[in-house]
Amino acid sequence: MTDILWRIAPAPVAYPDAVAFMEARVAAIRKGEAREMLWFVEHPPLYTAGTSARAADLLAPERFPVYQTGRGGQYTYHGPGQRVAYVMLDLKARALDLHTFVRRLEQWLIDTLAEFAITGERRDGRVGVWVARGKGREDKIAALGVRVRRWVSFHGVSLNVEPDLEHFSGIVPCGITEHGVTSLVDLGRPVTMADADVALKRHFERQFLAPGEKLIKE
């Protein structure tokens, strides 16, 4: 095991640039030429289509750029105020099968939300992390979409800190029509992106790092 590099992008990252970077990094990790990496970014407003995306779920194709991507899942929105965390780990070296990896990603987000007194929950048949709003209403606050190539992961998770929630109306998020979308600020928590990053870092370490390992901030 080796320490993991942790990078926070200082400015919004174009989606094609992020994918190109991850592709190169995954290849280098596989060859033993680069450290594993946790990369925190924000994107300009855009929609992405996962491998299970249905064309009918793209409701406003002209609103923002739309990118086909190799991650799992359906349509999702990325934009300012949303923390996207790309996770590039050697799962084989860490003895993680795909199911365990996804469960740990979910728990990472759930534990992070708990720091802000929000109860995040899993739902059978629905990927992501959900918040019960009362009277049967449930809103999604975090999404997961990962890909694994030769046991090295990429893509990752997104947490809604303070995005423009109206932008989700251009798609059927993750193919689910009967539930909504929320954020930390929408739930009344005055959380900054820096606050979220501190909590995300702490709980990533607890979920994924072996004893003696650490995140090395670039």
Side-chain angles (χ1 to χ4, degrees):
M1 297 291 183
T2 58
D3 296 333
I4 297 172
L5 188 67
W6 174 43
R7 176 185 295 177
I8 301 177
V13 178
Y15 191 76
D17 293 345
V19 173
F21 177 87
M22 285 190 287
E23 293 275 357
R25 188 78 183 195
V26 164
I29 292 169
R30 223 172 43 234
K31 295 175 183 177
E33 297 173 353
R35 290 183 185 273
E36 298 163 293
M37 186 173 182
L38 175 64
W39 189 23
F40 287 0
V41 309
E42 288 180 88
H43 287 303
L46 59 93
Y47 298 130
T48 64
T51 54
S52 302
R54 299 184 294 259
D57 289 343
L58 181 59
L59 306 178
E62 305 301 324
R63 181 181 291 187
F64 300 127
V66 181
Y67 297 98
Q68 303 294 320
T69 178
R71 62 158 176 81
Q74 301 185 40
Y75 279 104
T76 193
Y77 165 77
H78 294 313
Q82 181 190 71
R83 175 53 82 210
V84 177
Y86 290 129
V87 182
M88 291 159 270
L89 295 181
D90 186 335
L91 302 186
K92 187 173 183 180
R94 295 181 178 277
L96 291 172
D97 59 40
L98 184 57
H99 175 76
T100 303
F101 176 55
V102 170
R103 294 291 286 185
R104 288 199 188 181
L105 290 174
E106 291 172 337
Q107 194 61 49
W108 172 31
L109 292 164
I110 290 168
D111 292 346
T112 297
L113 290 168
E115 284 216 10
F116 305 108
I118 293 173
T119 301
E121 301 175 336
R122 298 179 176 92
R123 288 291 181 266
D124 292 339
R126 284 191 258 141
V127 178
V129 178
W130 299 80
V131 177
R133 305 296 297 272
K135 298 183 179 179
R137 176 183 171 186
E138 296 179 348
D139 289 343
K140 191 171 190 176
I141 194 168
L144 287 80
V146 298
R147 186 174 181 183
V148 176
R149 181 178 296 154
R150 297 184 187 176
W151 290 103
V152 179
S153 68
F154 56 124
H155 295 280
V157 306
S158 60
L159 174 64
N160 294 335
V161 180
E162 192 180 5
D164 185 336
L165 296 178
E166 198 280 329
H167 289 171
F168 285 90
S169 68
I171 56 172
V172 177
C174 301
I176 297 169
T177 58
E178 62 269 30
H179 300 289
V181 181
T182 190
S183 69
L184 287 160
V185 172
D186 182 55
L187 292 170
R189 308 303 194 270
V191 179
T192 67
M193 192 66 74
D195 295 333
D197 288 347
V198 169
L200 284 164
K201 174 182 179 291
R202 176 164 40 250
H203 292 290
F204 181 89
E205 291 171 334
R206 292 174 179 172
Q207 285 296 324
F208 292 103
L209 269 62
E213 284 188 308
K214 59 183 180 294
L215 288 177
I216 302 174
K217 188 172 182 181
E218 187 177 54

